[in-house]
Amino acid sequence: MAAPAPVREKPAESMPAGAPGPSRRIGAGLLDPQQLWLALPAALLKLNPVTLARNPVMFVTEIGAALTTGLAIAHASLFGWLITAWLWLTVVFANLAEAVAESRGRAQADTLRGMRRQTVARRLVGWQPGAGSGSYIEESVGAGELRRDDLVVVEAGELVPGDGDVIEGVASIDESAITGESAPVIREAGGDRSAVTGGTRVLSDRIVVRVTQEPGASFLDRMISLVEGANRQKTPNELALNLLLVMMTFVFLVAVLTLQPMAIFSKAFMAAAPDSQALTADGVTGIVLVSLLVCLIPTTIGGLLSAIGIAGMDRLVQRNVLAMSGRAVEAAGDVNTLLLDKTGTITYGNRRASDLLTVDSVTGRRLADAAALSSLADETPEGRSIVAYVRDKFGLEATVPGDAAWVPFSATTRMSGVDLAADASRADGGARRLRKGAASAVAAWVQENGGTVPAALDVCVKQVSASGGTPLAVAEQPADGPARVLGVVHLKDVVKPGLRERFAELRRMGIRTVMVTGDNPVTAKAIADEAGVDDFLAEATPEDKLALIKKEQAGGHLVAMTGDGTNDAPALAQADVGVAMNTGTSAAKEAGNMVDLDSDPTKIIDIVEIGKQLLITRGALTAFSIANDIAKYFAILPAMFGGVYPALDAINIMRLHSPTSAILSAVIFNAVIIAVLIPLALRGVRYRPSSADSLLTRNLWIYGMGGLILPFLAIKFIDVAVVQFIPGI
């Protein structure tokens, strides 16, 4: 038998990264200024009162703008026309925020529409698994005619006509238009990678697909609706905030209407006050009251609220996550228990070599050489990892001539290896046999071949097992001597780098992480400790997952989890945030309320952070909106009634030029601040993982105090500019 080629030295290579890196802050894409211009026509169309009635705050503002327009026409004045122009701009800027948010997904929607073109489907009638070609009928129909449970056949080069599950065959499929990934994916009957999406292209082989979609409700249809923001339903928190804004608007509306008698009274008594005569001129009183109403009601958050919700969904789309509803995104922000499957989420999913333990006087290099040579023909992930570990750790590159006798792994022997012939070029050039496998099987092989099993083997095996790893023994038999044990390879589930830091961030956010695995408790605990999760559920069955979710929810917690198999469907449906993998079954995707197009289970951590960013953005801008109204009170109220009630002069801290310039400056600021905040509403307030108390404190200081101080400075600046450029105002 030919001898193996010599083992060559090779520089060590680092293990490729395949997991999320260190924690990062969650933000969003920047706003292209050109988007504002492109979205302007859509913003103008939204001036339709029927459309604007969905936003009560801006609807009242539009009515006010219409009233001031009529008053400005009936009683023409520069002041009246300026107020009217800025009130209309207030409504347009609010519509522009929503229009820009909706337009950001149009490019992707157009791409998806291109995929949704009508394709011809080859529907099978009377087909049964394994049936011959003469036992069923194949008919050509339009993809739009397909119904749930129809069977279609798709071959290489053809488009999948609708969403479904592969029930026969295996094929390579191009899903790049859906996921953005150019690499094809494999879909096959059975298992958890059987789902296919309508509009994707089969690259090889032939599959039979059972259609799972209803007409007009395909995966692409839902994606298009999502990315455009069409038919978006408001979330519970958004509805609650809308109700609050409506009530505040109603209260201020009633308050302003009751000022009309006071305005008439004031007109009689303010005639002697030169600074106030402009406010009592014909038609101006109505304009002033409308201005007061618009500045009192929370127009800032009212104009941005819808854009914030749409932008939150858009941030998920940017990360290739399809949310079935805004409620799911919002719920993600309130999650406080996160269930994570061990395999593929916390660990790489395949056991990898992590250490070599020698016995007796065997050197580490000798064990490494034997372990690598005996694994060269092992195409399992474990076998390849041993070869890579030896190369990286010891700088050894093992090659074996083609006439070596390979011993494949079998369930009977529970070993694999290689038989090598003598090689005179090697220091240890005699023929030898190498075996690698389960410790008990290798020990039996050593005894059968005249060797003895050292007690150190049992020590090494117990050491590896106690740490949650899998021990593989390595043995060698020279041609002229008994077999001997060289040592043990420590295989372990390798925890993805950076996860411990991510879990620590989640803990600071008040989120409890639970690892779910089918491993035994010893292995589960070892991995849980290494990953840094808060708890684990070992030997978990689908029923155990469901029971755990119900238990957490009964304790008042919101639960998020990931899954891809049919057996995950009950738990995904029960969870408040259920993220199904796109590679998974249709049952899993239908049960969850989100679908990850990249099928990256760790993305659930990002989803939770995006949900929290949505809630924080909404809360921060609400605080800013309410706070900046206070400054407008200080600008308008003294200007309107200071002549009648001199005591109001005490709150006239801005000392604006005149009553008319004060009111105009407040109205201008009210409009401009909406436009200024559009990028922030779309990008979202930058999220930093921390406790709820610290987040609240930070946002109150930044957005509460900022909303209180900024308007004083801005309104004063606008007043100076107005007086400078519009003399006599």
Side-chain angles (χ1 to χ4, degrees):
M1 186 180 296
V7 175
R8 302 190 304 272
E9 300 286 341
K10 181 179 180 181
E13 300 174 3
S14 59
M15 186 176 71
S23 161
R24 59 192 182 280
R25 297 171 181 168
I26 291 293
L30 297 176
L31 173 66
D32 183 354
Q34 188 178 8
Q35 287 181 310
L36 296 173
W37 178 253
L38 296 176
L40 184 59
L44 296 176
L45 290 176
K46 289 178 181 291
L47 291 174
N48 183 345
V50 176
T51 302
L52 206 60
R54 296 176 303 164
N55 189 336
V57 176
M58 302 317 302
F59 182 63
V60 170
T61 305
E62 184 178 45
I63 293 176
L67 288 174
T68 59
T69 302
L71 291 171
I73 293 173
H75 307 281
S77 68
L78 178 61
F79 174 74
W81 281 115
L82 287 173
I83 291 292
T84 298
W86 281 102
L87 289 181
W88 280 114
L89 283 174
T90 302
V91 183
V92 171
F93 288 157
N95 291 342
L96 189 62
E98 185 175 14
V100 171
E102 292 175 352
S103 70
R104 296 180 79 176
R106 289 211 175 105
Q108 186 172 0
D110 290 342
T111 301
L112 296 173
R113 280 199 180 90
M115 293 182 56
R116 199 179 54 175
R117 59 183 181 272
Q118 281 288 348
T119 58
V120 176
R122 298 164 57 188
R123 184 162 61 188
L124 305 179
V125 180
W127 181 89
Q128 296 292 332
S133 58
S135 60
Y136 61 89
I137 300 173
E138 180 180 314
E139 57 183 13
S140 297
V141 298
E145 300 177 41
L146 293 175
R147 297 295 181 267
R148 191 179 184 94
D149 293 329
D150 280 351
L151 303 177
V152 296
V153 61
V154 192
E155 295 185 341
E158 298 177 348
L159 292 176
V160 177
D163 301 349
D165 287 325
V166 178
I167 60 173
E168 183 179 85
V170 57
S172 174
I173 298 181
D174 177 11
E175 294 185 342
S176 57
I178 293 285
T179 65
E181 292 292 335
S182 58
V185 297
I186 301 299
R187 295 290 180 265
E188 58 185 326
D192 294 337
R193 295 181 179 269
S194 60
V196 292
T197 303
T200 56
R201 185 177 298 277
V202 174
L203 300 178
S204 67
D205 303 296
R206 172 185 183 274
I207 53 175
V208 175
V209 177
R210 185 187 302 278
V211 176
T212 58
Q213 74 181 48
E214 298 293 347
S218 69
F219 189 76
L220 287 178
D221 291 323
R222 287 180 288 173
M223 276 198 72
I224 292 170
S225 177
L226 169 69
V227 299
E228 287 191 320
N231 302 320
R232 188 182 72 91
Q233 294 183 345
K234 288 183 170 62
T235 63
N237 284 348
E238 194 173 351
L239 288 171
L241 184 54
N242 257 316
L243 180 60
L244 174 64
L245 298 182
V246 169
M247 294 304 297
M248 292 177 67
T249 301
F250 178 76
V251 168
F252 286 122
L253 179 62
V254 172
V256 170
L257 289 176
T258 59
L259 288 176
Q260 181 61 27
M262 184 180 293
I264 297 173
F265 172 81
S266 300
K267 183 174 182 179
F269 286 89
M270 291 169 65
D275 289 343
S276 302
Q277 288 177 0
L279 300 184
T280 59
D282 290 338
V284 175
T285 301
I287 293 175
V288 169
L289 291 177
V290 171
S291 301
L292 174 63
L293 173 63
V294 171
C295 289
L296 289 177
I297 63 178
T299 50
T300 305
I301 186 61
L304 298 173
L305 185 59
S306 181
I308 293 170
I310 295 173
M313 303 280 281
D314 179 64
R315 281 191 286 277
L316 277 181
V317 174
Q318 292 173 14
R319 289 163 175 79
N320 270 1
V321 177
L322 170 63
M324 303 306 178
S325 69
R327 182 169 187 167
V329 186
E330 203 169 74
D334 286 328
V335 160
N336 40 33
T337 300
L338 186 56
L339 268 60
L340 299 149
D341 190 47
K342 184 209 73 175
T343 305
T345 304
I346 293 176
T347 67
Y348 282 101
N350 296 313
R351 295 171 302 171
R352 296 186 176 188
S354 64
D355 198 7
L356 297 178
L357 307 178
T358 61
V359 298
D360 296 340
S361 59
V362 176
T363 64
R365 199 172 188 81
R366 182 185 181 98
L367 173 58
D369 180 36
L373 289 172
S374 61
S375 300
L376 282 176
D378 186 351
E379 292 301 321
T380 64
E382 291 83 358
R384 291 195 297 269
S385 78
I386 293 174
V387 176
Y389 178 81
V390 169
R391 182 186 63 232
D392 296 341
K393 182 74 172 179
F394 296 90
L396 300 176
E397 185 73 24
T399 58
V400 177
D403 58 352
W406 300 106
V407 179
F409 175 84
S410 75
T412 303
T413 64
R414 294 186 298 158
M415 291 187 302
S416 63
V418 62
D419 294 342
L420 304 173
D423 181 6
S425 65
R426 295 170 57 99
D428 182 13
R432 55 179 177 155
R433 298 195 296 165
L434 301 173
R435 295 293 183 270
K436 176 204 69 187
S440 58
V442 171
W445 180 81
V446 168
Q447 291 174 333
E448 290 172 2
N449 289 276
T452 58
V453 179
L457 175 63
D458 187 55
V459 174
C460 291
V461 168
K462 288 181 178 179
Q463 178 182 337
V464 172
S465 300
S467 66
T470 301
L472 290 181
V474 179
E476 175 187 57
Q477 182 188 17
D480 55 353
R484 64 175 298 193
V485 175
L486 300 179
V488 171
V489 178
H490 183 175
L491 293 179
K492 62 176 291 187
D493 281 334
V494 178
V495 174
K496 295 179 178 179
L499 284 184
R500 174 174 282 275
E501 291 76 12
R502 298 292 296 275
F503 292 148
E505 289 181 359
L506 292 173
R507 196 173 297 112
R508 289 195 296 272
M509 294 156 47
I511 297 177
R512 176 171 167 263
T513 53
V514 181
M515 183 187 76
V516 181
T517 177
D519 288 338
N520 63 73
V522 173
T523 301
K525 185 179 187 308
I527 295 173
D529 290 342
E530 183 178 354
V533 295
D534 298 312
D535 201 354
F536 64 90
L537 177 65
E539 299 177 342
T541 64
E543 292 78 13
D544 293 333
K545 296 179 186 178
L546 186 60
L548 177 59
I549 292 174
K550 289 182 177 180
K551 178 182 177 182
E552 291 289 331
Q553 291 172 332
H557 300 150
L558 267 67
V559 181
M561 75 160 289
T562 61
D564 58 2
T566 301
N567 63 343
D568 292 324
L572 286 171
Q574 180 67 35
D576 300 284
V577 179
V579 184
M581 302 296 102
N582 190 43
T583 56
T585 63
S586 295
K589 290 197 282 188
E590 290 175 3
N593 49 25
M594 291 188 187
V595 177
D596 176 17
L597 304 181
D598 295 330
S599 299
D600 176 9
T602 62
K603 198 179 291 183
I604 191 171
I605 300 175
D606 289 334
I607 291 172
V608 170
E609 293 179 342
I610 290 170
K612 285 191 174 294
Q613 185 191 35
L614 169 64
L615 298 179
I616 290 170
T617 301
R618 186 183 296 157
L621 292 185
T622 300
F624 183 91
S625 176
I626 294 174
N628 74 39
D629 285 342
I630 296 175
K632 290 179 282 187
Y633 305 159
F634 280 85
I636 289 186
L637 294 179
M640 288 184 63
F641 302 111
V644 179
Y645 304 106
L648 288 177
D649 189 63
I651 65 171
N652 188 19
I653 60 178
M654 283 187 277
R655 300 296 171 184
L656 302 181
H657 179 266
S658 67
T660 51
S661 71
I663 294 171
L664 180 59
S665 299
V667 171
I668 292 175
F669 172 79
N670 198 60
V672 170
I673 195 61
I674 295 177
V676 170
L677 290 176
I678 288 176
L680 180 61
L682 298 181
R683 186 178 66 248
V685 174
R686 189 169 291 280
Y687 171 69
R688 296 177 178 86
S690 57
S691 66
D693 290 343
S694 61
L695 283 174
L696 177 61
T697 302
R698 172 178 172 270
N699 287 336
L700 285 178
W701 275 106
I702 295 177
Y703 297 97
M705 292 301 296
L708 189 63
I709 296 172
L710 176 63
F712 281 94
L713 302 176
I715 291 175
K716 180 64 177 179
F717 174 81
I718 294 172
D719 180 74
V720 172
V722 164
V723 173
Q724 181 71 28
F725 294 103
I726 311 176
I729 193 65

